[in-house]
C-alpha cells in the first residue's frame, strides 16, 4: 500500500496555538467541594482576566466567533470568505478578503450583544463600572434587528405567536411558569440554548456580587448562592442538558482564553452546573471524575482522539491519516484559515500538523472532524 507523508510548514503567525483543555492546576481549587463552596471556587479560578475594550470586541471575535469553514461570496464567484458565527439569526455575514473584522462588523450592521443585559447592573446610571461590560463570556456578535428585539428581556421560552421571530430568535410573552413574572422573554434557537445557559452560569458565578437592578431582571437575586431564582435554575439546567457542550463552545473557550485570559468552567466541565444547582448538588466534585478532560501538560505532543469519530480519518502521532480515499480535503485552523488543501487524498496518506486545533473537511466525510495536536 502506497504511503506518502506530507510535512506541513506554516508560519507561526498563521496557526492558532490554542489549548485543547485547561492549564494544569487551573481548576485545582474546585476539587472536593460541593454546592456554594464549589461555585465560590469556580469564581476564584476564573475571575481574574484581562479587561478588554468594548469597542475592540469585533477584533477578538474574529478568533472566537467565526465559522471554521469558508463560504463563497455570492457577489463574487470563486471568492472564499470567513463568515461570522452569530447566534441570533440565520443571516450570512461575511468578512471579505482584505477586510478587517471591525470593518466587516460595521458594514454588516452587526451589534455587540450582552447575553445578560447591561441595564441589570446599572449603578448611578453607569453600566461600565464592572468588567462584565466587556467580558467576552457575556458578549456575542449579533444581528442588529434581533438584538433590538431582544432588548433587556431575560431568557425564557415564548408562548405561541411571539412578537418577534426570525427563525432563530424569538421574543414574546413567556410560557406559564417561565419568566418569573416578566411580561416578555428572549428565546434562542434550540441549538444554542445550552450556549446561552452556560453564559448565564458564568455570569452568575463570576459576577454574583453585582447589585442587580431593573424590573426585567427576574433571573438573578442578590445572593452569592444560589444567585439564580428557582424558575431560572430549572429552565437553564434543562437547556444545558438538552443542548450539551458543542465543538463550537470548546473552540471558543480556547480562543477567549487567548484573548482575555480566562475560561468558562461550565464549558470545560459540562456537569459542573449539576453539582452547583442541579441533580448532583449532594455529590462532591472531583476533577478526576469528569469524563474526557485532562489538564494539558506542557510539552505534551499527543493527539486528542476523542473528537475524531469518522472511520474515514485515522490517527498518527502529530497528525492524521486517511483510511479511505477522499476528495477536496481541507484543513482549517481555529480562526477559519485554510492551512492545507489536497484535491485528492488516497488511502494510507499521512498528514502532519504543528500543534493546534483543526477542523478537517472533505468529500466523503459524514461531518467535519475536529483534531487537536498537542
Amino acid at each position: 500500500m502506497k504511503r506518502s507523508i506530507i510535512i506541513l510548514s506554516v508560519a507561526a503567525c498563521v496557526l492558532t496555538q490554542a489549548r485543547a483543555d485547561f492549564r494544569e492546576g487551573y481548576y485545582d481549587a474546585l476539587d472536593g467541594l460541593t454546592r456554594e463552596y464549589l461555585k465560590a471556587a469556580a469564581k476564584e479560578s476564573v475571575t481574574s482576566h484581562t479587561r478588554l475594550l468594548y469597542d475592540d470586541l469585533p477584533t477578538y471575535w474574529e478568533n472566537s466567533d467565526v465559522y471554521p469553514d469558508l463560504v463563497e461570496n455570492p457577489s463574487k464567484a470563486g471568492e472564499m470568505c470567513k463568515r461570522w458565527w452569530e447566534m441570533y439569526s440565520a443571516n450570512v455575514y461575511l468578512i471579505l478578503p482584505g477586510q478587517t473584522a471591525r470593518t466587516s462588523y460595521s458594514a454588516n450592521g452587526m451589534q455587540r450583544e450582552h447575553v445578560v443585559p447591561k441595564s441589570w447592573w446599572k449603578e448611578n446610571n453607569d453600566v461600565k463600572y464592572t468588567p462584565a461590560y466587556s467580558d467576552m463570556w457575556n458578549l456575542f456578535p449579533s444581528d442588529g434587528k434581533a438584538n433590538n428585539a431582544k432588548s433587556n428581556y431575560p431568557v425564557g421560552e415564548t408562548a405561541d405567536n411571539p412578537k418577534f421571530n426570525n427563525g432563530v430568535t424569538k421574543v414574546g410573552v413567556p410560557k406559564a411558569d417561565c419568566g418569573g413574572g416578566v411580561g416578555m422573554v428572549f428565546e434562542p434557537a434550540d441549538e444554542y440554548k445550552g450556549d446561552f445557559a452556560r453564559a448565564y452560569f458564568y455570569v452568575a458565578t463570576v459576577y454574583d456580587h453585582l447589585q442587580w437592578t431593573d424590573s426585567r431582571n427576574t433571573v438573578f437575586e442578590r445572593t452569592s448562592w444560589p444567585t439564580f431564582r428557582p424558575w431560572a435554575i430549572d429552565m437553564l439546567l434543562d437547556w444545558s442538558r438538552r443542548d450539551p457542550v458543542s465543538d463550537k463552545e470548546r473552540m471558543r473557550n480556547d480562543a477567549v482564553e487567548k484573548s482575555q485570559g480566562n475560561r468558562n468552567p461550565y464549558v470545560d466541565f459540562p456537569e459542573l452546573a449539576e453539582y452547583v444547582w442541579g441533580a448532583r448538588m449532594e455529590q462532591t466534585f472531583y476533577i478526576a471524575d469528569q469524563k474526557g478532560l485532562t489538564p494539558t501538560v506542557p510539552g505534551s505532543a499527543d493527539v486528542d482522539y476523542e473528537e475524531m469519530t469518522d472511520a474515514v480519518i485515522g490517527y498518527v502521532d502529530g497528525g492524521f491519516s486517511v483510511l479511505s480515499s477522499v476528495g477536496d480535503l481541507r484543513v482549517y485552523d481555529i480562526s477559519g484559515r485554510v492551512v492545507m488543501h489536497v484535491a485528492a487524498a488516497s488511502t494510507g496518506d499521512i498528514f502532519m500538523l504543528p500543534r493546534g486545533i483543526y477542523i478537517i473537511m472533505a468529500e466523503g466525510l459524514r461531518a467535519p472532524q475536529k483534531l487537536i495536536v498537542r
Side-chain angles (χ1 to χ4, degrees):
M1 177 171 61
K2 178 183 178 181
R3 172 183 164 118
S4 61
I5 300 179
I6 299 176
I7 304 297
L8 190 64
S9 178
V10 184
C13 62
V14 175
L15 284 173
T16 301
Q17 299 299 320
R19 280 184 294 270
D21 297 307
F22 53 87
R23 297 189 302 273
E24 189 170 30
Y26 187 63
Y27 288 121
D28 283 358
L30 278 64
D31 246 350
L33 300 179
T34 59
R35 305 199 323 173
E36 63 265 44
Y37 306 104
L38 178 59
K39 178 174 175 287
K43 178 176 181 175
E44 176 186 342
S45 297
V46 305
T47 293
S48 178
H49 65 276
T50 300
R51 184 168 180 174
L52 305 177
L53 294 178
Y54 179 79
D55 290 344
D56 290 343
L57 287 175
T59 300
Y60 297 109
W61 280 336
E62 185 175 8
N63 295 321
S64 63
D65 293 88
V66 168
Y67 280 90
D69 55 318
L70 302 180
V71 296
E72 186 173 13
N73 184 353
S75 301
K76 189 173 181 180
E79 182 178 79
M80 304 305 291
C81 308
K82 296 180 183 179
R83 175 188 174 187
W84 290 106
W85 197 330
E86 61 97 12
M87 301 187 293
Y88 293 87
S89 78
N91 294 337
V92 177
Y93 292 125
L94 301 179
I95 303 175
L96 303 177
Q99 192 177 47
T100 67
R102 292 184 68 164
T103 301
S104 167
Y105 170 86
S106 298
N108 284 311
M110 301 175 71
Q111 297 181 5
R112 303 167 184 82
E113 173 53 13
H114 290 89
V115 177
V116 176
K118 60 183 181 292
S119 64
W120 290 10
W121 67 69
K122 266 187 182 178
E123 185 172 278
N124 299 322
N125 294 317
D126 181 14
V127 300
K128 300 180 181 180
Y129 79 96
T130 169
Y133 180 70
S134 59
D135 192 326
M136 289 179 73
W137 290 116
N138 188 39
L139 283 130
F140 295 101
S142 172
D143 169 78
K145 290 183 179 179
N147 180 28
N148 291 334
K150 174 182 179 289
S151 185
N152 59 349
Y153 300 125
V155 286
E157 296 185 7
T158 62
D160 294 337
N161 302 315
K163 177 181 178 181
F164 177 88
N165 184 0
N166 65 3
V168 177
T169 290
K170 296 179 184 177
V171 177
V173 175
K175 294 179 179 178
D177 302 321
C178 183
V182 75
M184 301 280 282
V185 294
F186 152 67
E187 180 178 356
D190 289 346
E191 64 183 298
Y192 297 130
K193 280 186 168 68
D195 301 61
F196 282 95
R198 285 176 281 276
Y200 263 82
F201 293 153
Y202 172 90
V203 170
T205 298
V206 173
Y207 299 108
D208 56 3
H209 59 282
L210 294 182
Q211 297 300 304
W212 301 105
T213 61
D214 196 317
S215 61
R216 289 178 175 174
N217 168 29
T218 57
V219 175
F220 298 104
E221 56 186 17
R222 297 181 185 180
T223 59
S224 60
W225 186 85
T227 310
F228 288 121
R229 297 179 182 179
W231 78 268
I233 291 175
D234 292 342
M235 185 193 72
L236 292 171
L237 285 173
D238 179 58
W239 283 11
S240 185
R241 293 162 186 158
R242 289 193 284 130
D243 176 30
V245 174
S246 64
D247 285 347
K248 173 189 185 297
E249 292 175 89
R250 295 185 186 98
M251 289 188 289
R252 190 176 197 272
N253 207 2
D254 294 324
V256 172
E257 183 183 26
K258 186 175 181 181
S259 296
Q260 71 175 34
N262 71 332
R263 302 176 69 84
N264 186 338
Y266 299 96
V267 173
D268 280 323
F269 302 112
E271 292 293 308
L272 178 59
E274 299 289 350
Y275 286 89
V276 176
W277 296 286
R280 298 191 176 188
M281 283 173 55
E282 304 307 318
Q283 299 178 27
T284 302
F285 181 91
Y286 292 106
I287 292 174
D289 293 340
Q290 308 309 305
K291 296 179 180 179
L293 286 167
T294 55
T296 299
V297 180
S300 173
D302 61 332
V303 177
D304 187 333
Y305 305 140
E306 183 180 2
E307 302 297 336
M308 301 283 286
T309 58
D310 200 306
V312 177
I313 298 296
Y315 322 108
V316 297
D317 186 16
F320 68 96
S321 63
V322 178
L323 304 181
S324 180
S325 297
V326 295
D328 193 25
L329 174 68
R330 296 174 186 264
V331 179
Y332 300 85
D333 70 11
I334 194 172
S335 69
R337 297 183 179 90
V338 178
V339 297
M340 185 178 72
H341 180 211
V342 178
S346 302
T347 301
D349 285 350
I350 295 176
F351 302 96
M352 309 301 289
L353 294 162
R355 296 181 186 182
I357 300 178
Y358 304 94
I359 298 295
I360 301 172
M361 302 180 69
E363 295 175 359
L365 283 178
R366 293 188 296 272
Q369 298 294 293
K370 178 183 176 185
L371 173 69
I372 301 171
V373 179
R374 298 185 184 137

